Amino acid sequence: MRTLITNIGELTTNAGSGDLADAAVLIDHGRIEWVGPADDVPADPEGCEEVDARGRAVIPGFVDSHSHIVFGGDRSAEFEARMAGQKYAAGGIRSTVAATRAASDDELRAGTRRLLDEMLAQGTTTVEIKSGYGLDVETEKRLVRLAAEVTEEVTFLGAHVVPAEYADRGDEYVDLVIGEMLDACAPHAKWIDVFCETGAFTLPQSRRILEAGLARGLRPRVHASQLGPGDGVRLAVELGAASVDHGTYLTDADVAALAASDTVLTLLPGVEFSTRQPYPDARALIDGGVTVALACDTNPGSSFTSSMSFCIALAVRDMGMTTAEAVWAATAGGAQALRRDDIGVIAVGKRADLVLLDAPSRVHLAYRPGVPLIKHVWKDGVQVR
Ligand code: NIG
Ligand code: FE
């Protein structure tokens, strides 16, 4: 099954070829077979379905490297209270834990599927999914298993917060996480994550958790510096984490450590939007040598958007990124945060995950916030929208 997309007005490749005008892309069996000027399309793409982009822009499919989409319940009342002045706190996670434990597999599956469909319709072709709303062995195992049904990027986040039944016994809960819970979850996961933050897990607890995961073949990623400055960034860098996420309150030492590492900083502007916290200064971070990715952090508490376009608009409007940087961060940056080299770029041999925008350039993603600009989406070479 081959598809030729031609008359592309602006092609963002994230590859050596750079941005191309008047371009075409040939897709064959899920992979990119050829990329170049529309006038140079290899003769006779026999049996090829042709799509005329009519001068519109094409970008790689979004790679959303941070989500928590397997959960039960609803926290819209918490959002309303926040907009009326209440502060965001990590403790809200526990209300989703109660609703998630009470939900059946089929209910959780249906909720996850709905959000995934929503993401795909908005151009997201790869999604990382974390557990973390179970916080007991049985439920965490259900969550990683359900996530593994729909993505290969599954993260075990048993260390999201200390559940109510372990109040004041955080170290005992960590014993459970790195013991029986890790045994149950490791077979279904690729990554291990911890919320290293005041009110969640301390530096020594976070280190124990990530090291236990590493010993089981899981690779680390870390939630850090979301609610205030902390130690999570330096721990992530020390352990060679693929990504450290949030970074709302970074110190100069954090920035220097990130710049000298190959740990990606994944910024989540939907969280700042929804919690009214300050946006991180992505301009200064990029200028300081940090590799920045963008993700939605889709979850019922701190960021219930699934729109990478919206996050790009926030990053450009409020974090000082150019649209080119923001689109790179939402595609190739996300791929790097997942240590993937087969996605996030439009180049020969890579996965054919592409988005045709209903706009002449990617700048429109930020210039026209809230407007549905995703015209067509291809995932693994199949047009899914
Ligand atoms: O990424 N930081 C911790 N976890 C989520 C929030 C989860 C919640 O509030 O339910 C986050 O923001
Ligand atoms: Fe998160």
Side-chain angles (χ1 to χ4, degrees):
M1 164 71 182
R2 292 167 97 205
T3 305
L4 175 70
I5 309 172
T6 188
N7 278 326
I8 301 170
E10 179 195 85
L11 178 68
T12 300
T13 66
N14 291 339
S17 52
D19 298 337
L20 299 175
D22 302 323
V25 177
L26 186 57
I27 299 170
D28 186 19
H29 287 97
R31 295 277 167 172
I32 311 266
E33 183 184 336
W34 181 89
V35 184
D39 287 344
D40 297 352
V41 170
D44 182 35
E46 179 94 23
C48 207
E49 189 208 350
E50 195 170 317
V51 176
D52 185 346
R54 296 170 182 266
R56 296 183 182 94
V58 168
I59 62 172
F62 294 126
V63 179
D64 191 343
S65 60
H66 184 141
S67 90
H68 310 246
I69 60 171
V70 193
F71 65 84
D74 173 277
R75 281 159 64 195
S76 51
E78 187 187 305
F79 174 78
E80 277 267 275
R82 217 160 43 236
M83 294 304 106
Q86 211 166 88
K87 212 170 161 243
Y88 175 78
I93 293 170
R94 294 194 187 99
S95 74
T96 299
V97 169
T100 303
R101 287 176 179 175
S104 69
D105 280 6
D106 279 343
E107 285 165 340
L108 293 172
R109 214 175 255 128
T112 304
R113 175 48 63 194
R114 184 180 68 81
L115 288 169
L116 269 181
D117 288 348
E118 197 177 281
M119 290 166 150
L120 195 59
Q122 295 174 97
T124 300
T125 47
T126 303
V127 182
E128 177 265 15
I129 303 177
K130 301 173 197 298
S131 68
Y133 289 121
L135 310 186
D136 61 34
V137 175
E138 251 341 283
T139 317
E140 282 297 311
K141 183 177 168 184
R142 289 169 63 208
L143 300 186
V144 286
R145 205 169 28 73
L146 291 167
E149 290 178 1
V150 294
T151 186
E152 59 190 273
E153 303 299 341
V154 176
T155 302
F156 168 50
L157 178 59
H160 199 179
V161 284
V162 176
E165 63 274 20
Y166 278 85
D168 303 321
R169 294 187 295 136
D171 284 333
E172 276 176 55
Y173 181 64
V174 173
D175 291 340
L176 178 72
V177 170
I178 67 179
E180 203 186 329
M181 199 183 282
L182 181 61
D183 286 343
C185 295
H188 306 282
K190 177 167 171 184
W191 304 98
I192 185 154
D193 195 342
V194 56
F195 188 14
C196 181
E197 190 93 33
T198 306
F201 296 90
T202 64
L203 174 66
Q205 290 171 338
S206 301
R207 184 189 295 283
R208 281 181 71 204
I209 289 156
L210 297 176
E211 284 178 346
L214 270 164
R216 293 293 298 265
L218 301 184
R219 292 184 273 165
R221 38 202 324 108
V222 183
H223 278 71
S225 303
Q226 175 184 0
L227 306 175
D231 307 303
V233 171
R234 272 155 299 145
L235 177 66
V237 168
E238 181 197 320
L239 296 180
S243 178
V244 59
D245 301 40
H246 286 285
T248 310
Y249 297 95
L250 296 177
T251 63
D252 291 348
D254 291 335
V255 177
L258 283 166
S261 77
D262 62 4
T263 297
V264 173
L265 173 65
T266 301
L267 298 177
L268 309 166
V271 175
E272 280 81 31
F273 177 85
S274 167
T275 60
R276 286 227 166 98
Q277 289 179 276
Y279 289 97
D281 185 351
R283 175 80 274 123
L285 292 164
I286 293 171
D287 290 345
V290 177
T291 301
V292 168
L294 285 171
C296 286
D297 195 6
T298 310
N299 78 80
S302 67
S303 175
F304 202 13
T305 181
S306 55
S307 168
M308 291 294 275
S309 300
F310 176 62
C311 293
I312 287 169
L314 294 178
V316 171
R317 165 67 174 74
D318 292 311
M319 290 158 54
M321 292 171 84
T322 65
T323 315
E325 287 168 340
V327 170
W328 186 91
T331 54
Q336 202 168 317
L338 293 171
R339 296 275 195 259
R340 294 273 300 266
D341 62 8
D342 58 332
I343 52 175
V345 291
I346 298 177
V348 173
K350 304 299 183 187
R351 263 175 213 276
D353 292 351
L354 301 97
V355 174
L356 172 61
L357 300 178
D358 197 1
S361 85
R362 64 191 171 216
V363 173
H364 283 234
L365 291 169
Y367 173 48
R368 307 201 64 212
V371 178
L373 294 179
I374 308 301
K375 187 161 179 66
H376 292 309
V377 180
W378 287 264
K379 183 173 162 59
D380 290 325
V382 177
Q383 190 179 331
V384 290
R385 194 190 139 82

